[in-house]
Structures are given as structure tokens and as C-alpha cells.
Amino acid sequence: LAYLFSCFTGLRISDVRVISYDNIINRQLVFRPKKTPQKLVSIPILEDVYKIIEQIPKHPISNKIFWGLPSTSHAINIHLKEWAKIANLNNHRAITFHTSRHTFATIGLTYGIDLYTMKELLAHSKIEMTMVYGKIKRQKKEEEILKCMQVANKETAFIYNDFIKNATALEDIHSNIKDTIIQQYKAD
């Protein structure tokens, strides 16, 4: 469950180990990451995260959410690889706890979270660190270009329509002036 929790929150294993119920404030997960304690991170909690938390039995003394995890990251990764193998995942050897963080970032970026916001959610100190997660597929790039083109086409159509209206108005003015001059010339 800790792995799924991290898929929805982007937390590092070091933070998942210490996160407690006290860190849940107004539907936000608010904490100082172990790796960058100078930052205060606030992550909105989705319903799926609440469902995960509800499945975890509360410790009788500790207020930590994930209190029964193996003591090392290596031990957690061994369990993950075993579960991935049982689930017949093709690349089960590549799974580590950190891939949950990668999943969070990749899905978020693919569905429109901007790099700066993702940087803040992941508590990165530099945007370059976040850009590693931004391996956005060719299709996503094409979709973004199409969005720009649609906006540009709307702008171009608006400008063109304005131009036509103004040109028509100028033609009408020009025609009126011409008629006025001709009438005055005939009157003289």
C-alpha cells in the first residue's frame, strides 16, 4: 500500500516512513521532506489516497501511517520485485520504490501539471531534477502543438474577421467620400 500511496503523492520512501496522521491538514498532506527539510510541501489528497490510508490498520501507539514497513529500501524493493513477478509484469526486475515517484510525476506531467508545480510537489530544489521525469511521449508533444495551432487559428480568424470588417468599413467610407465628391463636382 505504501507503493500505491506514493504513486498518488510522489513521496520518497524516506518520507513515507515518517508521515503521520498529523500531517493530514485540510485535505492536504503537509510535511517537511527528509531530503530537503527547509521546504514545506503541501500535496492535495485525492480520494484514492484516503482509500489507501483506510486500509492500513492504525498502530496502537505510533501515529505513523505506514508503521510496519521493512527497515531498508533494499528489503522493500525485494518485496516489490517479487510482487511484480507474481503479477507477470514484463520488467519486474526494474521496479523499485522510486518508480512510484516516477509514476506520480509522469502521470501528472502528462495530464497537464506544469513543470514548476511538479517541482514543488516533488520538493526538488532545481527544475532540472524535475525535467528528468518529463519524458513526455511524442503523442503528448503533438497534442500540445495542436493546442497551440488551434489557439493561433482562432486568433488569426479573429484578426482576419476584424480586418475584413475594417476593410469593408473603409470601402464604405471611401465610397461615400467618392459619391460626395462626384455630387459636389456635378453640382458645380
Side-chain angles (χ1 to χ4, degrees):
L1 291 175
Y3 183 86
L4 289 176
F5 180 85
S6 186
C7 286
F8 285 103
T9 61
L11 267 64
R12 295 177 182 97
I13 185 61
S14 57
D15 297 321
V16 169
R17 288 181 188 285
V18 297
I19 210 83
S20 74
Y21 292 97
D22 295 334
N23 296 109
I24 299 172
I25 303 167
N26 296 326
R27 300 192 59 81
Q28 302 273 322
L29 193 57
V30 181
F31 67 101
R32 293 194 182 277
K34 279 216 169 233
K35 190 171 180 181
T36 52
Q38 69 278 11
K39 288 188 170 249
L40 183 65
V41 176
S42 179
I43 300 171
I45 300 176
L46 303 172
E47 276 308 310
D48 291 329
V49 174
Y50 280 114
K51 289 176 185 174
I52 292 167
I53 292 171
E54 287 170 3
Q55 293 181 42
I56 303 164
K58 288 190 177 183
H59 192 277
I61 299 169
S62 173
N63 204 22
K64 288 182 185 176
I65 296 173
F66 295 98
W67 52 272
L69 295 174
S71 59
T72 66
S73 295
H74 180 72
I76 289 173
N77 290 337
I78 288 172
H79 287 294
L80 286 172
K81 288 174 194 321
E82 289 172 0
W83 294 330
K85 187 176 180 180
I86 292 167
N88 290 322
L89 295 179
N90 292 337
N91 203 5
H92 63 273
R93 290 187 183 103
I95 195 167
T96 64
F97 195 89
H98 194 74
T99 57
S100 62
R101 188 168 162 85
H102 183 84
T103 299
F104 172 77
T106 303
I107 290 171
L109 291 170
T110 300
Y111 285 95
I113 295 177
D114 64 270
L115 273 173
Y116 178 77
T117 302
M118 186 56 69
K119 171 192 169 288
E120 295 301 309
L121 290 170
L122 294 172
H124 285 159
S125 54
K126 296 180 182 176
I127 196 78
E128 291 81 8
M129 296 171 73
T130 311
M131 291 170 74
V132 170
Y133 294 100
K135 296 178 182 175
I136 299 174
K137 307 275 186 256
R138 179 178 168 203
Q139 178 186 357
K140 179 67 175 163
K141 291 179 186 177
E142 289 173 2
E143 288 171 10
E144 293 303 314
I145 291 293
L146 287 174
K147 281 184 198 174
C148 289
M149 291 175 75
Q150 287 171 346
V151 170
N153 286 340
K154 285 179 185 175
E155 277 299 311
T156 303
F158 177 75
I159 292 167
Y160 177 75
N161 288 337
D162 254 11
F163 175 77
I164 295 299
K165 284 179 193 173
N166 289 335
T168 304
L170 284 173
E171 282 180 26
D172 290 345
I173 292 169
H174 181 346
S175 180
N176 288 341
I177 292 171
K178 184 174 123 185
D179 290 345
T180 304
I181 292 171
I182 290 172
Q183 285 175 358
Q184 283 180 349
Y185 182 74
K186 286 181 181 177
D188 289 339

